[in-house]
Amino acid sequence: MPRRWLPLLALLLCAGTGPGAAHAADTVETSGDILRVALPLAAWGMTFQRDDQTGRLQFYKAFGATVAGTLMLKTVIDKERPDDDGEDDAFPSGHAATAFSGASFIQRRYGWRMGAPAYAVAGYVGWTRIDADKHDGWDVLAGAALATALTHAFVTPHIGNVDVTAKIAADGWYFGLTARW
């Protein structure tokens, strides 16, 4: 993650903390709520930072399919949440799905250097849902797996530092490969 994003990440992580915070559990749940939106926003923002229009379109497709698939599965499976609040939309976890959609996009499109920290944050989001008693491990795992699978279906790796050129000349064909790092 670029260093200029660290203050924003710190602000998001600290949201809901401080002298006025009611309980640590509420803070953990709130941080998960915020980060489940922040990860896809960061992924989307990276497509602008890198002037990656193809990646942006792929992000829209993968994220849209993840949200649609999650909502469809919640309706079809109709599993009750662990906290007995009467809601029947536990499976799969939407928080985990959106967080892992952002993380898996970052990893798939831009590599593990950026993806590993994003996956760690997504894992934290999943844990916050279990900690808040909104989901069990299977709900979180299903949301993560759905998002990751759909991202891999729609997103291709970005090879921004490699150029492949071809030239046809009177004396033959020429191919060139240029890498920048």
Side-chain angles (χ1 to χ4, degrees):
M1 185 173 292
R3 291 179 196 246
R4 66 183 136 202
W5 292 16
L6 292 176
L8 175 62
L9 182 59
L11 178 65
L12 290 172
L13 289 172
C14 294
T17 63
H23 300 322
D26 292 339
T27 302
V28 168
E29 187 174 358
T30 300
S31 68
D33 293 343
I34 292 168
L35 290 171
R36 75 120 175 195
V37 174
L39 264 173
L41 280 176
W44 180 66
M46 289 174 78
T47 67
F48 287 96
Q49 178 193 26
R50 294 168 181 250
D51 194 26
D52 184 8
Q53 293 176 347
T54 301
R56 193 171 314 123
L57 184 60
Q58 291 176 357
F59 171 80
Y60 293 144
K61 290 176 183 178
F63 189 75
T66 297
V67 171
T70 300
L71 293 173
M72 182 188 71
L73 285 171
K74 282 180 175 289
T75 301
V76 170
I77 294 177
D78 202 33
K79 180 182 175 219
E80 191 171 320
R81 291 181 181 268
D83 64 2
D84 293 327
D85 68 357
E87 291 185 51
D88 292 334
D89 60 351
F91 187 91
S93 167
H95 280 65
T98 57
F100 275 91
S101 183
S104 60
F105 175 84
I106 292 168
Q107 182 277 315
R108 176 88 167 140
R109 188 78 180 151
Y110 303 119
W112 279 106
R113 183 172 168 233
M114 303 292 280
Y119 272 125
V121 173
Y124 172 77
V125 171
W127 173 81
T128 66
R129 302 309 288 165
I130 295 169
D131 184 67
D133 206 26
K134 298 291 183 183
H135 294 286
D136 60 32
W138 291 111
D139 302 336
V140 170
L141 182 62
L146 175 68
T148 303
L150 288 170
T151 298
H152 278 261
F154 288 105
V155 178
T156 59
H158 183 260
I159 306 174
N161 292 330
V162 176
D163 291 324
V164 179
T165 57
K167 180 180 176 183
I168 301 172
D171 60 340
W173 295 59
Y174 298 92
F175 292 94
L177 179 65
T178 306
R180 295 179 300 276
W181 58 84

